[in-house]
């Protein structure tokens, strides 16, 4: 309640309605620290079903929003995030970045009985490894660009493949297979740039362990969309 007795029947009804609305609303937890997570948190906060949004770790933007609180937890601190979700009795955990999903956050939420929007660790392997996803598409005849995967020690084979593609009039993109925070795709504009991209990933280790396997893929030009 409000701590005081309403002064009229009308005020009493208003207070009762307000209490009912408040009790039917829920708190949610948004995991991530990017602009995308800020936008998602705002949209969730604007729902008439949501009372408050916790962001872990959030960012400077979410820190300024009403009905929104940043929590100092890393987005891949699976144990800490599940503990927070339980402590705050949130009705939903919404996971933005791929790293927490690849670390098994959705699985841990399911075990704890906390609803979570995001794939399991096994399903997130499609995001964690571009090589795995490409092989998965090929295995199940899903439309995907022509490609070839190369592992550590196969630098020369990757260069030879690139030379063959350009000789046949086909351009390529070069991708570090692992998680590289959205930065692991190089788009060369010539065969020399393509070979340099392979060296950058496989020899110079520009993306660290994310480049232990490389996908060389046919260049496709067009629009891309994400569906949730």
């Amino acid at each position: 309640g409000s701590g005081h007795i309403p002064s009229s029947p009308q005020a009493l009804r208003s207070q009762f309605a307000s209490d009912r609305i408040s009790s039917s609303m829920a708190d949610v937890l948004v995991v991530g620290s990017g602009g995308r997570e800020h936008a998602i948190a705002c949209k969730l906060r604007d729902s008439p079903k949501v009372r408050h949004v916790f962001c872990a770790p959030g960012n400077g933007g979410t820190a300024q929003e009403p009905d929104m609180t940043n929590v100092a937890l890393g987005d891949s601190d699976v144990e800490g995030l599940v503990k927070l979700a339980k402590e705050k009795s949130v009705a939903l955990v919404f996971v933005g970045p791929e790293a927490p999903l690849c670390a098994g956050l959705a699985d841990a939420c399911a075990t704890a009985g906390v609803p979570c929007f995001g794939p399991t660790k096994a399903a997130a392997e499609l995001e964690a490894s571009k090589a795995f996803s490409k092989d998965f598409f090929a295995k199940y005849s899903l439309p995907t660009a022509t490609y070839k995967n190369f592992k550590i020690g196969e630098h020369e084979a990757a260069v030879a493949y690139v030379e063959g593609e350009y000789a046949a009039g086909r351009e390529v993109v070069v991708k570090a297979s692992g998680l590289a925070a959205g930065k692991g795709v190089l788009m060369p504009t010539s065969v020399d740039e393509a070979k340099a991209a392979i060296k950058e990933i496989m020899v110079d280790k520009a993306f660290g362990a994310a480049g232990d396997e490389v996908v060389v893929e046919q260049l496709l030009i067009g629009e891309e969309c994400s569906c949730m």
Side-chain angles (χ1 to χ4, degrees), residues 6-218:
S7 58
S8 68
Q10 291 85 355
L12 180 62
R13 283 194 296 271
S14 176
Q15 182 66 52
F16 178 68
S18 176
D19 287 346
R20 282 190 63 189
I21 291 171
S22 178
S23 64
S24 67
M25 295 169 76
D27 297 337
V28 299
L29 170 61
V30 173
V31 177
S33 60
R36 172 177 56 183
E37 285 76 41
H38 185 177
I40 289 167
C42 286
K43 281 299 181 183
L44 287 168
R45 187 269 319 277
D46 292 345
S47 167
K49 297 181 180 180
V50 172
R51 177 175 50 227
H52 197 86
V53 177
F54 296 96
C55 301
N59 57 36
T62 55
Q64 304 299 317
E65 295 285 350
D67 301 318
M68 203 175 291
T69 303
N70 285 355
V71 182
L73 279 176
D75 63 19
S76 293
D77 181 358
V78 172
E79 184 177 344
L81 291 167
V82 172
K83 182 181 178 184
L84 173 66
K86 297 281 282 185
E87 286 177 353
K88 299 298 184 182
S89 300
V90 301
L92 176 70
V93 175
F94 191 111
V95 189
E98 59 268 19
L101 296 169
C102 296
L105 178 55
D107 307 70
C109 284
T111 299
V114 178
C116 178
F117 184 84
T120 62
K121 182 176 182 178
E125 184 67 11
L126 288 167
E127 180 72 23
S129 169
K130 297 179 184 70
F132 173 87
S133 68
K134 295 294 287 188
D135 287 344
F136 183 92
F137 299 154
K139 180 178 179 179
Y140 293 103
S141 301
L142 301 172
T144 190
T146 303
Y147 75 99
K148 193 169 178 63
N149 299 332
F150 298 92
K151 294 183 170 66
I152 293 175
E154 298 180 335
H155 170 251
E156 290 183 7
V159 169
Y161 179 77
V162 162
E163 289 175 339
E165 287 298 286
Y166 276 87
R170 293 185 292 267
E171 295 183 74
V172 303
V173 292
V174 181
K175 302 181 176 183
S177 178
L179 295 177
K183 305 295 189 292
V185 177
L186 302 179
M187 299 185 65
T189 59
S190 68
V191 65
D192 288 338
E193 285 187 13
K195 290 192 286 186
I198 290 171
K199 179 178 181 294
E200 185 177 342
I201 297 175
M202 301 188 78
V203 179
D204 301 339
K205 291 293 181 184
F207 302 104
D212 284 351
E213 192 164 10
V214 168
V215 179
V216 180
E217 188 176 76
Q218 171 192 6

